[in-house]
Amino acid sequence: MIASLLSPALLLAGLSATPSTPDPALPFTTWKLKNGLQVILHEDHRVPMVAVDVWVHVGSGDEVPGKSGFAHLFEHMMFQGSEHVKEDQHFAVLREVGASMINGTTNFDRTNYFEVVPANQLEAALWLESDRLGFLLSHVNQESLKNQRDVVRNERRQRVDNVPYGSSRMAQFAALYPEGHPFRYQVIGKHEDIEGAVLDDVKAFFRTWYAPANVTLALAGDVDEATARALVDKWFGALLSPPRPVKRPFPVVALQKNERLEIKDRFAKLARLQWTWHGAAQYSPDDPDLGVVGDALGADGWGRLYRRLVVDEQLAQAVYAGPSGMNATGQFSIAVTLKPGSDPARVEQIVRDEVVRLLAEGPSADEVRRSIVDTETNILFSLDDLLGRAERLQEMNHYTGDAGGLPAYLARVRACTPPSAQAAARRWLAKPRVLVVTVPESAPATAPTSAPKGGAQ
Amino acid sequence: MIAPVAAVLSLALQAHAGEVGAPTVRGPAVDRTRQPAAGPERDLALPPIRQFTVRGIKGYLVERPGLPIVQLELSWNLGGATDPAGKEGLASLCVDWLGEGTKRLDKTAFENKKADLGARIGIGAGAETTGLSLAVVTSRLEPALGLVAELLIEPGLRPADLERLRGQAKASVVQARGNADGAGARAWSAAFWGRAHPYGHVVEEKSLDAISAADCASVVKRLAPEGAELVVVGDVTVEQLTPLLEKSLASWKGKAPARAKVGPPRGLKGTVFFVDIPGAEQSKVIVGHGGPARAAPDYAATMVMSQVFGQGLSSRLVQNLRERNGYTYGANGGFAYRRSGSAFMVQSSIRTDATGKALAEIKHELTGMSTTPPTSDELRRERDGGLRALPARFATNAALARSVGELLSFGLPLDTWQRFPAELRAVDDKAAAAAVKAHLQPTQKVVVAGDRAKVLPELEALAKDGSFGREGLVLLDADGRAIK
């Protein structure tokens, strides 16, 4: 083990001068159209570009049993064309007007669609977005749906079935959420459910969830408010909307006892242990404290488990710890990827010891401060690009109900203390958890190794 | 207690479903049948690049006030390309070692200090360059620079850290061999560039074991200031930065390495190369051949035609493999530029049972580039769209750092981006067709990593029919060695 050359006292003395990070300015205005569509505008005139970011307040958590993966498959269909935008022309138009960052993503609780366009092409983007929001169903067709079912199943292969640890993650979710729970098959869903999706599903899902009243449009960049209001009115104002759909709350589930699963993996050659607890919802009061707990345990370089498992005992290749909120619920995970030949029982013991120690003593003041600095810094850098700002406003709006919630959130992060983090850890990590052990299906084909020739002593 | 899930889920999904045929619009209609016209186009405004020199480091700074953040990228002409035979992985391992701490601060103390400052300090070696990056909040730039300077001038280089990193690098090799993506990339290096070629090195456990601490000490010594290049972007001026650099780097001396000379590819003889990944549900497919240098005069035309072929959802390749045939989630094709030359590469993960069919379609689209060169619609989309999208390359700190770094890496003049719009605008159908003719070759190498039982018969047939070339099928292991 390496002795520290600096005494803790000296380190602390050096720290007291560390200036705090000022809150980033993220001014915005927000308004609603008559049909209920919410608009958020952030002006930044430094570069002639505008990020167009549409959030639909629906995700895979709103699926019903037998339709897993549908919210995401539907997201794919939104790119296939609409009444006035021909099949496969959405991307082509955006490409021709000079858009960058064109994509859409589906989460457990929301779906987003975005592009960053030259400011003088903003209207083309609003035309495209409003057409698929208002006129999708007159275009959707069987051929296109059949194709996207194939595409999404390929996506599942690429993210789950053909990669290391993909099957373990599926098993982890299945252990946490019982049959019938909308998180059970993750966002991507089961092959048979994806294959079973029909046009009527597309139509029903669209009519229920893709109501303008269930949509928030964020614009960030080089457009003034008067222009933004006029253009949004022009393209979205005439769309009719049923009332905003009522989201049913995600079922809250709990584990009765600890579970341990062993998953054989064809593609992983390094064993992995992953513990997962049910966790706090994103932006809920315990969320920042659980972030601190995750860093204290698993931060790259300085987390306790990183130091013990990667640096001191050299049992692990990599360590992760932290919460992942999913609106009304969440998870907290600790994952350790082992080096070849490491003893999983030894790793398990160390993780258990460190979690117990953290529950008993809480994190140190240094650890709490480092975690806060890390969060502040991450947020600042995430605002470098226009889309990052639009996404931050959307996230605050969706999860806290206030697009301007960033300062309050940062204040909450900065209010974390060793006792508050310890209390949150005790509320969540003393409960039963799932341990998924990924076992490489065959022994790694290591080349014959000798002692390092001329290696360091 | 598990909540009664079924009861909650029984809430009807279609609570607010509209009636079929119900109107979706009210009020005065806008004309949706036509794409709205664009507003007036603006000329590309490029922020000035300010040059400076500190201790022989050539500095390039772009001021970008707004957010109180700054990022620095220091780079040297040193990478895996110059690893000696038998010690593949040398530059990467040794540079990682440098990043582990200073004489004063061991690994743990150093990591704590970085975290205290919220300083993202990264150092790593690629094939041709070693880069040290710092990203930090402006108010902590000075102490963060001090920490970087301490790392460079008085590195810790503790033997225990080297052994730990060696173990991690070996574990990464083990992991990479086991899946189609990792094995496919390793096989491509060997098949296309050649394991003995500077760009084709394949790192193995024994090559990592052969690297000594003394080897690393000499690598680290070459990371010196005179001739190194530094790109800085963010909320800082040259006047603010240079005194900080002068002060923190005052005792740093020495000459940075010159650029390495690299020859043409020396890949394996063969047309189709196969690596077995038992049970793979998708085959990793790489198809390609050699390409021009980044500095070639027809770079813009080459870029446009390669985008028409294989970049983005509208490209011929993706429309075919994904949108028409559903063989894949994504695909791309284009030129991967190195400092010396490039590789034209088509890459995709293909559903196992469609591997042969997808390869035939890739061949079809490659041939189609000659028989049907980029059309006027395609040119408008990729050339005009590319022109309109240029501001995005200079719109963020990260993008600016990339765009300036690209010029330095390829030794291009600093006014390259000023001239680029005119070069791009000049790409007409003739120029695009000429680039196709000059840079897309009639034969290709094909690398596939997939499930042998299901894929190999198709590949044998493909090798026999000669559509990609007539040098036959070669079975490789996941280190890119031919299996006898």
Side-chain angles (χ1 to χ4, degrees), chain A residues 2 19 46 88 95-96 120 127 147 154 162 165 180 222 235 238 240 256 269 317 370 374 378 454, chain B residues 1 3 9 24 26 32 39 42 65 103 106 116 120 140 168 175 212 281 322-323 326 328 382 388:
Chain A
I2 299 156
R46 289 182 296 168
D88 280 330
R95 188 110 178 159
E96 185 165 337
N120 70 325
W127 169 63
N147 167 250
N154 288 328
N162 204 43
Y165 314 111
D222 185 22
W235 292 104
L240 288 177
Q256 297 286 60
K269 299 301 169 192
Q317 178 79 347
R370 281 174 200 136
D374 187 55
N378 280 343
Chain B
M1 178 61 196
L9 289 180
T24 53
R26 64 156 174 239
R32 293 184 171 274
R42 278 187 244 179
K103 280 205 167 62
D106 71 6
D116 290 336
R120 281 82 173 112
R140 291 191 284 260
Q168 288 178 284
Q175 186 82 301
S212 70
E281 306 224 359
R322 172 179 154 135
E323 295 297 296
T328 182
E382 299 302 332
R388 294 177 182 127

Side-chain angles (χ1 to χ4, degrees), chain B residues 385-404:
Chain B
L387 275 163
R388 294 177 182 127
L390 281 176
R393 298 194 192 199
F394 312 97
T396 67
N397 293 3
L400 277 163
R402 261 196 312 277
S403 293
V404 177

Side-chain angles (χ1 to χ4, degrees), chain B residues 277-299:
Chain B
I277 301 293
E281 306 224 359
Q282 287 174 312
S283 303
K284 172 72 177 186
V285 168
I286 309 177
V287 176
H289 54 61
R294 172 66 178 80
D298 61 351
Y299 169 75

Side-chain angles (χ1 to χ4, degrees), chain B residues 84-107:
Chain B
K87 293 187 180 183
E88 291 81 5
L90 174 80
S92 176
L93 179 62
C94 302
V95 167
D96 283 354
W97 191 24
L98 171 66
E100 291 293 287
T102 71
K103 280 205 167 62
R104 187 174 63 96
L105 304 168
D106 71 6
K107 165 83 175 165

Side-chain angles (χ1 to χ4, degrees), chain A residues 46 72 92 96 153 157 174 179 232 386 439:
Chain A
R46 289 182 296 168
H72 168 245
E96 185 165 337
R153 293 188 62 195
R157 293 181 184 102
E179 195 61 69
V232 172
L386 292 171
V439 182

Side-chain angles (χ1 to χ4, degrees), chain A residues 135-153:
Chain A
F135 304 89
L136 185 82
L137 295 191
S138 45
H139 173 84
V140 286
N141 58 80
Q142 184 59 36
E143 194 187 348
S144 176
L145 175 63
K146 185 179 175 313
N147 167 250
Q148 289 305 307
R149 288 194 309 234
D150 287 343
V151 170
V152 168
R153 293 188 62 195

